Amino acid sequence: MEDDQELERKISGLKTPMAEGERKTALEMVQAAGTDRHCVTFVLHEEDHTLGNSLRYMIMKNPEVEFCGYTTTHPSESKINLRIQTRGALPAVEPFQRGLTELMNVCQHVLDKFEASVKEYKDQKASRNEATF
Amino acid sequence: MAAAQAVEEMRSRVVLGEFGVRNVHTTDFPGNYSGYDDAWDQDRFEKNFRVDVVHMDENSLEFDMVGIDAAIANAFRRILLAEVPTMAVEKVLVYNNTSIVQDEILAHRLGLIPIHADPRLFEYRNQGDEEGTEIDTLQFRLQVRCTRNPHAAKDSSDPNELYVNHKVYTRHMTWVPLGNQADLFPEGTIRPVHDDILIAQLRPGQEIDLLMHCVKGIGKKVARVANPRLDTFSREVFRNEKLKKVVRLARVRNHYIFSVESTGVLPPDVLVSEAIKVLMGKCRRFLDELDAVQMD
C-alpha cells in the first residue's frame, strides 16, 4: 500500500469556449485511486455556501449516504469541494444527482406556496378595502 | 418521559441559555436518532410546510416560512442579498469632469444608484463585448454645468441663491435609447428609481459631462438590492435572578421570519420569487452538467 495516493482527476462538464480561447468548467470530480466510485469529491466552480449548505442538507437526508460535507477552499477562490461517501457500493454520483433533484422540488414547492400566499394576501386586502366603503 | 421530551427539544428547538445558545445545528439526519425516520420525504415536507404573509406593501414584505431547514432558508436570504439580477451602471465614459469629486469616486457613486428597469427584460452582456447592444445595455447621459446666478442678492451667502445647478441630482440623468428601445419602453419608464439622490456638488465653472452604460448583473460583483433584517431575541430575562430559574427561552428551529425591503426596482414579492428561481437554476445547471458527462 503506497503512502502517497495518486489522484485520478476526471475533468468533466460542459466546456464553454470563450472569446479568448479559455475553457470554463463548472463541475469536476476527484477520486482517490484504489477506491471505487462510492467516495468522490465534487468541485463545483462559481458556487459558495448558498448552494453548498442547502445541497449538503438534502444529501445528508439520504439514508444511503455515510458522509457528506463541503468546504470553501479559500475566500479568494469561488469554488466548493463537496465530498460524498456512500454506504455499500452505490456510486456517489447517484446521491449527488438525487440531492439536486430533491432540492429543485423543494424550491418549486416553496415557490408555489409563496405565490399562493401572496395572492391570498392581496385578495384579502382587496376585499377588506371594498368592505370599508 | 423526560428523556423523550428532551430528545424532542433537542431535535426541534434552539435553546437560548444565559451564557450561550445551544442545539444550534440541525441533527435530524437518518441514523442519528433511533426510532425516528429522518430520511427525506417530499410528502411529509409538503404537508408540514407553510408560508404566511404578514405584511406587504410596495417596497417591503414580511412573511413567515414554517417547516423548512436553516440551510435552505439561509440560501434564499443569501440569494436575495446578492444574486437577484438588477440593472445598474457598470461603465462610465467621462468626457469632462472638472468637479472636485474624482472620476473614480463619481463612477462608484453612479454604480450604486438603483435603476428602474425590469432586469428580466434584458440579457447579460457577453464578456469582451465593449460596445453593448440594445438587448443588454441601457445608456444614460449626465451633463450639468454650474454657473453663477446673476440675479442673486449682493451679500447673500446661501448657495441655493448664489449658484445655478450647484447640486447634481439623479433627476439630471437622461436616458438615451439604443436601437429599438424607444419603441419597447414608453417615455419615463426607464429612469433612476429616486429623483433626489445627490450625486455631486458643483461650484461655478465646474462641469460634469459623462455617459453611463447600465448592464444586468448580480450583487456578487457589486452590492445592492434587498435587505432582509434579522430578528433577534432579547435575553434580558436572564438578568433577573428569580426569573432565571423559571423561564426557558427556546426558538422553534424550523420557523423563519423574513423581512424583505426592496430598492424599488422590483416589488419585494417578485424579488423573493426570482430568488427561489435562481436557486432552482443553480440546481438545474449542475444536473445538466451531470447529464452531459454521462453522455460521454
Side-chain angles (χ1 to χ4, degrees):
Chain A
M1 177 113 109
E2 297 136 81
D3 281 343
D4 44 346
Q5 293 184 328
E6 283 166 39
L7 284 171
E8 178 192 305
R9 197 164 213 115
K10 190 160 98 178
I11 309 248
S12 60
L14 290 164
K15 295 181 177 32
T16 40
M18 316 276 285
E20 303 87 76
E22 273 177 35
R23 284 155 159 236
K24 195 162 141 187
T25 53
L27 172 66
E28 279 174 38
M29 297 196 282
V30 179
Q31 212 172 298
T35 60
D36 37 349
R37 298 176 165 258
H38 70 92
C39 303
V40 173
T41 298
F42 297 92
V43 182
L44 282 73
H45 290 268
E46 305 288 322
E47 288 300 334
D48 58 0
H49 304 282
T50 307
L51 185 65
N53 198 17
S54 39
L55 191 55
R56 178 201 62 92
Y57 172 79
M58 297 309 296
I59 295 175
M60 281 286 283
K61 281 290 205 180
N62 184 344
E64 291 300 312
V65 168
E66 190 178 49
F67 173 90
C68 176
Y70 82 100
T71 99
T72 43
T73 51
H74 187 273
S76 323
E77 291 183 333
S78 74
K79 61 181 182 181
I80 55 172
N81 289 348
L82 178 84
R83 183 165 178 83
I84 301 178
Q85 284 175 205
T86 57
R87 225 172 268 175
L90 186 69
V93 196
E94 207 257 292
F96 182 57
Q97 201 162 21
R98 191 168 133 181
L100 283 167
T101 319
E102 284 174 350
L103 186 55
M104 256 180 64
N105 293 340
V106 168
C107 289
Q108 184 62 53
H109 182 75
V110 170
L111 185 62
D112 296 338
K113 273 276 170 80
F114 175 73
E115 290 185 337
S117 184
V118 165
K119 182 166 179 305
E120 193 189 305
Y121 182 84
K122 284 185 178 160
D123 291 343
Q124 256 185 20
K125 214 164 125 177
S127 65
R128 240 181 289 140
N129 283 342
E130 277 172 27
T132 53
F133 286 128
Chain B
M1 195 56 214
Q5 258 186 350
V7 168
E8 260 314 307
E9 192 186 61
M10 194 157 60
R11 281 169 62 89
S12 66
R13 299 264 190 289
V14 175
V15 182
L16 290 89
E18 186 180 352
F19 298 113
V21 188
R22 288 180 286 123
N23 293 346
V24 178
H25 297 287
T26 315
T27 49
D28 54 349
F29 294 116
N32 283 351
Y33 297 97
S34 65
Y36 285 91
D37 174 20
D38 288 326
W40 178 256
D41 185 354
Q42 181 76 9
D43 295 324
R44 199 170 52 207
F45 163 70
E46 290 188 7
K47 210 161 56 124
N48 293 331
F49 180 70
R50 219 177 69 218
V51 174
D52 299 318
V53 173
V54 171
H55 168 79
M56 181 162 80
D57 60 37
E58 50 180 58
N59 278 333
S60 73
L61 166 67
E62 204 173 305
F63 67 99
D64 287 14
M65 253 200 229
V66 184
I68 198 164
D69 184 70
I72 305 174
N74 193 37
F76 292 140
R77 186 194 64 88
R78 286 174 67 101
I79 295 176
L80 272 169
L81 269 178
E83 292 191 50
V84 178
T86 50
M87 296 297 287
V89 174
E90 174 114 16
K91 205 168 261 190
V92 178
L93 304 167
V94 182
Y95 296 127
N96 190 4
N97 175 21
T98 43
S99 73
I100 54 167
V101 182
Q102 296 92 339
D103 287 353
E104 58 268 24
I105 308 292
L106 189 56
H108 176 72
R109 286 178 70 82
L110 290 168
L112 289 169
I113 298 172
I115 305 286
H116 187 276
D118 191 337
R120 296 170 291 180
L121 299 173
F122 292 90
E123 301 284 327
Y124 285 102
R125 196 189 263 195
N126 293 324
Q127 269 206 24
D129 182 0
E130 288 295 324
E131 277 306 310
T133 59
E134 62 207 13
I135 194 68
D136 57 36
T137 309
L138 281 174
Q139 254 187 16
F140 285 90
R141 188 79 200 238
L142 180 64
Q143 214 172 354
V144 183
R145 168 180 281 174
C146 178
T147 50
R148 213 174 279 279
N149 181 5
H151 305 295
K154 196 97 187 280
D155 48 355
S156 158
S157 59
D158 177 17
N160 291 326
E161 248 196 60
L162 285 172
Y163 313 122
V164 173
N165 281 343
H166 71 288
K167 284 190 175 170
V168 181
Y169 288 102
T170 42
R171 71 175 84 97
H172 294 121
M173 280 167 60
T174 50
W175 176 43
V176 179
L178 288 172
N180 65 348
Q181 281 176 354
D183 307 320
L184 288 173
F185 303 108
E187 190 66 39
T189 51
I190 303 288
R191 53 179 170 78
V193 176
H194 305 285
D195 276 359
D196 51 358
I197 300 178
L198 182 63
I199 301 175
Q201 289 202 34
L202 301 173
R203 285 293 179 266
Q206 292 175 353
E207 183 183 353
I208 291 181
D209 183 1
L210 43 87
L211 187 66
M212 295 174 258
H213 282 192
C214 199
V215 296
K216 183 169 170 178
I218 58 176
K220 252 188 183 171
K221 296 175 184 149
V222 192
R224 204 163 299 126
V225 196
N227 215 336
R229 229 180 347 107
L230 266 178
D231 208 340
T232 49
F233 234 116
S234 165
R235 285 197 262 168
E236 276 299 312
V237 70
F238 289 120
R239 294 260 190 88
N240 179 324
E241 277 303 314
K242 280 223 192 83
L243 276 184
K244 214 164 36 170
K245 299 197 176 58
V246 183
V247 175
R248 191 176 188 74
L249 272 182
R251 271 194 258 179
V252 179
R253 188 175 277 131
N254 287 352
H255 187 142
Y256 292 97
I257 304 175
F258 277 77
S259 178
V260 180
E261 202 181 292
S262 161
T263 49
V265 180
L266 289 171
D269 53 310
V270 174
L271 276 175
V272 177
S273 304
E274 288 302 307
I276 303 176
K277 287 178 196 159
V278 165
L279 189 55
M280 287 206 289
K282 286 184 195 262
C283 296
R284 199 170 292 128
R285 190 169 131 237
F286 287 106
L287 280 172
D288 293 340
E289 295 275 351
L290 276 179
D291 287 336
V293 168
Q294 277 163 11
M295 291 294 193
D296 306 337

